[in-house]
Amino acid sequence: VSAEKDFNGATQVDTAADTIDLGDNHGLNTGDAVVYRNGTGTSVGGLTDGDTYYVIKEIGSTSKVKLATSATNASNGTAVNLTATGTGAHQYLKTVPVAANSKNFNGATKVDVATNTIDLGAGHGFVTGDAVIYHNGSGTSVGGLTDGQTYYIIKSKTVASEVKLATSASNARKGIAVDLTAAGSGSAQS
């Protein structure tokens, strides 16, 4: 289930601290994937309307967050530089629901770098646009993917067991897949 966290850019964005004040009990944690929407206003400087960002829960605050461009950056505390507050009282962060089912695969035998596909087996249950978190299962990551990063499924229209991954839900809907450059290793990748 996704939820929207509204804010007013003019009054709740602190460009000096790169924070957004979402109010107490916002329920977000470091690493959570969110989609930024400007609500038809002017975007907060440094953010792009419709792009996915990753939360950095501000230490010592129950209401403020920073945003990162990747899950790795979020866990490292590397925030996007917010350069302007933007306009519009109905800007928001929408949480990205992550698919509950997990499918393991062997990178060496189930990744096809020529077609950028991963074979998850028949009946994997994913549909285009589902958010998933890639894990290398203590093996070597598939080239082009980052362990712990959220990606979005592009379900194959020709081979039911295969999927591609995109960096955003928008890219998944457009069929723009991540370029897989190496199969990786390990049979517990998911």
Side-chain angles (χ1 to χ4, degrees), residues 29-33 52-57 66-80 132-136 141-142 144-151:
N29 293 301
T30 296
D32 286 351
T52 301
Y53 296 93
Y54 300 83
V55 171
I56 302 170
K57 194 172 181 180
K66 294 181 178 184
L67 298 176
T69 57
S70 69
T72 300
N73 283 350
S75 66
N76 291 335
T78 306
V80 171
V132 295
I133 299 173
Y134 168 72
H135 292 288
N136 64 18
S141 291
V142 172
L145 302 181
T146 302
D147 186 55
Q149 183 79 27
T150 301
Y151 295 95

Side-chain angles (χ1 to χ4, degrees), residues 96-110:
V96 177
V98 177
N101 55 339
S102 176
K103 299 294 179 188
N104 287 351
F105 63 92
N106 185 330
T109 61
K110 298 297 183 179

Side-chain angles (χ1 to χ4, degrees), residues 5-19:
K5 310 297 181 187
D6 291 317
F7 65 93
N8 182 327
T11 60
Q12 292 173 270
V13 172
D14 181 343
T15 57
D18 295 324
T19 60

Side-chain angles (χ1 to χ4, degrees), residues 60-129:
S61 172
T62 59
S63 64
K64 295 179 183 178
V65 299
K66 294 181 178 184
L67 298 176
T69 57
S70 69
T72 300
N73 283 350
S75 66
N76 291 335
T78 306
V80 171
N81 180 24
L82 303 181
T83 59
T85 59
T87 62
H90 183 63
Q91 298 199 40
Y92 60 93
L93 301 176
K94 183 175 183 177
T95 58
V96 177
V98 177
N101 55 339
S102 176
K103 299 294 179 188
N104 287 351
F105 63 92
N106 185 330
T109 61
K110 298 297 183 179
V111 173
D112 185 339
V113 296
T115 59
N116 295 318
T117 58
I118 301 170
D119 188 330
L120 296 178
H124 55 69
F126 294 115
V127 297
T128 296

